[in-house]
């Protein structure tokens, strides 16, 4: 069961994204944007090169100018097939030619440019050498909210990815945990995500017993035992958009303290969700969840931000953290995932993806948040 295929994005969709990105760059005082292969290029154009190599591929965006994609000649046929290709012009270069000289001729020789975060230093240094009076800033620093507000089609894909992750949890809670290695349960989770339509699995954290106190524990050879709390955190990409959810289950009957801590995290997660509304600051979500845990005396054991954005990557702006004063806007999507981590003993994390609506928030995950017992 993989669900129905999403409505495809069109050339007009990609044109609108490129136009918006160019306008936002100009508003930020930039001469333009330089976008290398990676999530930003896919989001803006629908093009993912067949392989990311030392050959320069770069999208050049500037307000009032036609978008240009600098691409190696041998990859130009693939670029021409991209859905967004009709909305841009290609400038191809052959081996033996200088791609930086070609690109330099397209740029303001004294401009300041936003550069996608995953651009290779090799390429940026080549441009700096060709244009020594230019300067550069990372795209996340210059335009952190570029991809943050999702349109209806993007929200549909994120909802479908969330539903697929939920389906995986409903299946995994019925498998045997006791006596099996964390890595075996993690492999089950990965297979379930793929069965429910994920093309890419980014992580399957299975953190049992004391390993649960490490928020980014990598599933290993530890055998899960009866009496263990087990943090499950898993996600990836379905139809190009991310899923990410966490639930904490218990093998057998939990102790009173384990129930109390689990209930506390569930209450904190609910408080964070209820803080989601248009106009609230991102930090308000963090404050609401963190206050519940701090008031119960576990504040020192909540050791990470409350949430992160999600879209064509599973971690992206905005971030739900103290000091982030940007307002929430309808269409933003992010996690709400407080946790309590008791070193050497156990951890608890509960996570949903939430989208901002016109009057509050909507969860994109809806599996049981109460204590779930497994065998």
């Amino acid at each position: 069961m993989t669900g129905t295929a999403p409505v495809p994005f069109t050339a007009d969709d990609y044109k609108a994204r490129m136009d918006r990105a160019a306008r936002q760059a100009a508003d930020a005082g930039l001469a333009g944007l330089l976008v290398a292969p990676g999530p930003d290029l896919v989001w803006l154009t629908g093009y993912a090169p067949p392989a990311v190599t030392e050959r320069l591929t770069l999208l050049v965006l500037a307000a009032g100018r036609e978008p240009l994609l600098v691409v190696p000649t041998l990859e130009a046929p693939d670029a021409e097939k991209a859905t967004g290709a009709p909305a841009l012009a290609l400038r191809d270069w052959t081996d033996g030619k200088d791609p930086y000289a070609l690109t330099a001729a397209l740029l303001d020789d004294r401009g300041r440019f936003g550069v996608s975060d995953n651009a290779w230093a090799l390429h940026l240094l080549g441009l700096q050498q060709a244009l020594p009076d230019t300067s550069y800033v990372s795209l996340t620093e210059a335009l952190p909210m570029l991809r943050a507000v999702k349109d209806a089609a993007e929200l549909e894909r994120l909802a479908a990815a969330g539903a697929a992750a939920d389906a995986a949890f409903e299946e995994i809670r019925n498998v045997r945990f006791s006596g099996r290695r964390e890595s075996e349960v993690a492999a089950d989770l990965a297979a379930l995500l793929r069965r429910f339509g994920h093309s890419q699995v980014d992580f399957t954290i299975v953190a049992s017993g004391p390993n649960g106190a490490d928020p980014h524990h990598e599933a290993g050879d530890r055998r899960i035992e009866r009496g263990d709390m087990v943090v499950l955190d898993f996600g990836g990409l379905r139809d190009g958009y991310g899923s990410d959810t966490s639930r904490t289950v218990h093998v057998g009957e939990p102790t009173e303290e384990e129930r109390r801590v689990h209930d506390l995290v569930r209450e904190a997660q609910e408080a964070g969700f209820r803080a989601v509304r248009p106009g609230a600051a991102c930090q308000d979500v963090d404050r609401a969840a963190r206050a519940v845990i701090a008031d119960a005396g576990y504040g020192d054991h909540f050791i990470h931000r409350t949430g992160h954005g999600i879209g064509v990557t599973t971690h992206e702006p905005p971030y739900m953290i103290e000091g982030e004063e940007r307002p929430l806007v309808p269409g933003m999507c992010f996690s709400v995932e407080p946790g309590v981590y008791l070193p050497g003993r156990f951890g608890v994390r509960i996570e949903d993806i939430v989208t901002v609506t016109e009057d509050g928030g909507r969860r994109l995950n809806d599996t049981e948040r109460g204590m779930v017992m497994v065998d």
Side-chain angles (χ1 to χ4, degrees), residues 37-355:
D40 291 312
L41 185 64
V42 172
W43 183 78
L44 286 162
T45 69
Y47 177 53
V52 179
T53 71
E54 74 284 355
R55 291 186 174 96
L56 178 70
T57 294
L58 199 67
L59 175 68
V60 179
L61 297 177
R65 296 180 56 182
E66 183 180 28
L68 298 169
L69 182 64
V70 177
V71 62
T73 299
L74 77 170
E75 294 175 5
D78 293 306
E80 290 171 347
K81 295 174 187 175
T83 305
L88 52 80
L90 294 183
R91 295 288 187 271
D92 64 309
W93 62 277
T94 57
D95 287 350
K97 301 294 184 181
D98 183 352
Y100 307 112
L102 169 65
T103 306
L106 306 173
L107 304 179
D108 177 348
D109 62 5
R110 294 180 180 275
R112 180 172 173 79
F113 296 90
V115 182
S116 54
D117 296 3
N118 54 343
W120 284 19
L122 170 72
H123 299 317
L124 187 57
L125 291 169
L127 285 175
Q128 286 180 316
Q129 185 173 7
L131 295 170
D133 292 327
T134 53
S135 60
Y136 304 89
V137 61
S138 75
L139 200 53
T140 290
E141 180 182 344
L143 299 178
M145 297 295 107
L146 177 62
R147 302 194 321 247
V149 179
K150 275 63 178 180
D151 62 26
E154 292 181 292
L155 290 173
E156 179 184 342
R157 293 185 186 217
L158 283 162
D166 282 358
F169 177 72
E170 294 295 354
E171 293 281 339
I172 202 70
R173 64 185 287 183
N174 294 317
V175 308
R176 183 166 186 82
F177 280 66
S178 178
R180 300 179 70 209
R181 291 184 175 88
E182 293 173 339
S183 58
E184 293 172 327
V185 177
D188 288 345
L189 264 175
L192 286 167
L193 285 171
R194 292 191 177 94
R195 190 213 299 178
F196 290 112
H198 281 62
S199 60
Q200 177 177 313
V201 176
D202 288 342
F203 49 89
T204 51
I205 294 173
V206 178
S208 62
N211 289 340
D214 175 1
H216 282 172
H217 172 70
E218 298 240 350
D221 290 334
R222 184 183 186 276
R223 288 194 180 275
I224 302 169
E225 304 172 355
R226 292 194 68 79
D228 278 348
M229 196 84 90
V230 185
V231 178
L232 305 173
D233 184 349
F234 50 97
L237 298 182
R238 183 184 189 276
D239 293 318
Y241 281 75
S243 69
D244 185 1
T245 187
S246 302
R247 294 292 186 264
T248 304
V249 301
H250 197 277
V251 186
E253 192 69 28
T255 66
E256 181 179 339
E257 182 189 22
E258 288 169 333
R259 282 190 181 276
R260 185 173 67 251
V261 173
H262 193 282
D263 286 346
L264 173 66
V265 174
R266 180 177 57 173
E267 181 183 348
Q269 206 269 346
E270 177 68 18
F273 169 68
R274 291 189 178 280
V276 175
R277 63 185 183 281
C282 292
Q283 68 181 4
D284 293 341
V285 179
D286 183 84
R287 288 175 174 178
R290 198 168 301 275
V292 173
I293 292 172
D295 289 349
Y298 288 89
D300 290 343
H301 299 289
F302 180 10
I303 55 177
H304 56 72
R305 64 196 174 203
T306 293
H308 57 82
I310 190 169
V312 292
T313 58
T314 49
H315 282 209
E316 62 185 47
Y319 298 104
M320 306 301 112
I321 190 170
E322 180 66 30
E324 180 50 85
E325 298 179 349
R326 287 187 177 87
L328 300 180
V329 176
M332 284 182 173
C333 290
F334 47 84
S335 65
V336 178
E337 51 176 306
V340 168
Y341 308 93
L342 303 178
R345 302 181 62 204
F346 65 89
V348 178
R349 182 164 64 258
I350 300 172
E351 173 186 15
D352 294 326
I353 299 302
V354 173
T355 183

